Amino acid sequence: MSQAIKVLGKGLVTPVRSPILHTPDEYGLAYEDITFPSVDGTPLEAWWIPCPGSDKLVIANHPMNFNRYGIASHLEPWATPGGNDVEVNYMADYKNLHAAGYNVLTYDSRNFGNSAAANGGVFTWGLFESRDVAGSLQYIKSRPDTRTMTVGLLSRCMGGNATYVAMTRYPELFADVRCLVNPQPTSLRPFVENNLAMMGAEDQFDAVDWQIQLNTSFTIDQLSPLEYAKNCHVPTFIIQVRDDLLTKPADVQSIFDNIPVADKKLFWIEGSTRRWDGYNYFPEHPEQMIEWFDRHMS
């Protein structure tokens, strides 16, 4: 087995933490640094961005390698193949939500940003991270000022995968969740297949699968959100770069198809092959996101 295959397999489940380069106050948003526990007790670092007079709350989480700020992928070593060497800064998301009348809670998942290490530092594409989604919902129920708020979720990529897993494992926590906005969910399989294609090593899938299992104790397909999406029972809006070099549209379509609700929407971002354009879409074009939250949280 080549060293490149070992590096790929390990890199997909043991990411390097990105620094937090911006904070909400730089964009005119008052906020508090807070900490709350995941359901297994892992301390999670978060920002509470209040919107005085509002009883609506959006809980936001982040993709793999990212944190609550976004990702410093304009810097090494956080640049990603496929042209994904531009910064993603989620402060615009929070400013747009706040301007539309939403309180925001956003946090670093385990092993990312400033949150605690857990599970040996491995990343499981949503399985262990689902405990953090559940912890965020428990936290808002523990606060007198938030426990009766109307709740929506902005769960991006890995955060979306983790949300589907949490919906399966902790369904009682989602009883009061009105809707979900989910930019770019993905299974690990197409990620591996496309990376191998870029390496000219398409025949090495089983070798990468073995490396993933050695590092996490799970196979590639055990880390997929496909089956967990069948337990999503809230109105769901998915967006995805259709020609994303790192994933495959059929996988995203399958996740969408597995969501068993009539009130759902899939929006394809056209004219790009860069995955990061999907992460930057709502910060730059918030209208559809705000409309979805407004419609389901009024």
Side-chain angles (χ1 to χ4, degrees):
M1 184 185 304
S2 73
Q3 184 63 25
I5 295 300
K6 291 182 179 179
V7 169
L8 174 63
K10 186 171 184 179
L12 288 170
V13 293
T14 57
V16 177
R17 292 178 188 247
S18 171
I20 297 171
L21 296 185
H22 296 287
T23 53
D25 59 313
E26 298 174 35
Y27 296 80
L29 298 173
Y31 77 100
E32 301 171 30
D33 286 306
I34 61 172
T35 304
F36 63 85
S38 176
V39 293
D40 63 7
T42 302
L44 305 177
E45 300 299 320
W47 291 325
W48 169 247
I49 305 171
C51 184
S54 170
D55 64 352
K56 298 183 294 184
L57 165 63
V58 170
I59 302 175
N61 56 28
H62 59 79
M64 165 189 168
N65 287 356
F66 288 52
N67 55 50
R68 61 195 134 142
Y69 133 75
I71 188 170
S73 43
H74 56 307
L75 307 174
E76 294 294 340
W78 299 284
T80 299
N84 299 301
D85 56 358
V86 297
E87 183 180 25
V88 178
N89 181 352
Y90 283 138
M91 297 309 114
D93 266 346
Y94 309 140
K95 187 168 185 176
N96 291 331
L97 286 164
H98 186 270
Y102 293 90
N103 299 279
V104 177
L105 173 67
T106 182
Y107 63 92
D108 299 333
S109 293
R110 64 188 58 215
N111 301 314
F112 295 104
N114 286 334
S115 286
N119 310 108
V122 299
F123 164 62
T124 57
W125 289 70
L127 296 191
F128 293 150
E129 297 78 14
S130 66
R131 302 170 186 172
D132 305 338
V133 176
S136 72
L137 291 167
Q138 285 186 331
Y139 173 71
I140 64 168
K141 288 299 184 184
S142 74
R143 286 179 54 147
D145 60 337
T146 60
R147 64 169 52 124
T148 62
M149 285 186 175
T150 301
V151 179
L153 304 178
L154 174 55
S155 299
R156 313 170 179 108
C157 187
M158 174 274 288
N161 292 12
T163 298
Y164 296 131
V165 177
M167 287 172 164
T168 302
R169 295 180 172 172
Y170 314 98
E172 69 283 357
L173 296 178
F174 291 84
D176 297 325
V177 171
R178 295 287 187 87
C179 64
L180 167 65
V181 175
N182 178 203
Q184 308 209 125
T186 184
S187 301
L188 179 53
R189 175 176 280 271
F191 236 84
V192 171
E193 291 174 344
N194 286 8
N195 271 275
L196 288 174
M198 286 188 276
M199 295 166 62
E202 293 93 332
D203 62 343
Q204 293 299 301
F205 182 89
D206 289 345
V208 177
D209 196 15
W210 178 236
Q211 286 299 305
I212 297 289
Q213 192 169 6
L214 289 178
N215 281 282
T216 68
S217 302
F218 299 105
T219 66
I220 285 172
D221 288 335
Q222 286 173 330
L223 299 177
S224 170
L226 279 165
E227 288 301 308
Y228 296 104
K230 294 178 180 179
N231 295 301
C232 177
H233 298 290
V234 302
T236 299
F237 176 22
I238 290 175
I239 70 166
Q240 171 66 37
V241 173
R242 188 189 296 271
D243 297 323
D244 176 5
L245 287 175
L246 296 179
T247 61
K248 296 182 179 181
D251 177 64
V252 177
Q253 185 70 55
S254 294
I255 294 169
F256 178 79
D257 291 344
N258 278 0
I259 297 171
V261 297
D263 190 0
K264 58 183 179 177
K265 175 181 176 181
L266 174 56
F267 176 73
W268 295 107
I269 299 168
E270 308 284 1
S272 174
T273 60
R274 185 166 62 181
R275 183 167 183 78
W276 267 222
D277 288 342
Y279 298 137
N280 278 320
Y281 188 83
F282 283 144
E284 297 171 359
H285 309 282
E287 296 81 11
Q288 291 189 73
M289 175 182 71
I290 299 299
E291 188 277 333
W292 192 261
F293 284 131
D294 284 352
R295 178 147 58 92
H296 294 96
M297 296 175 63
S298 297

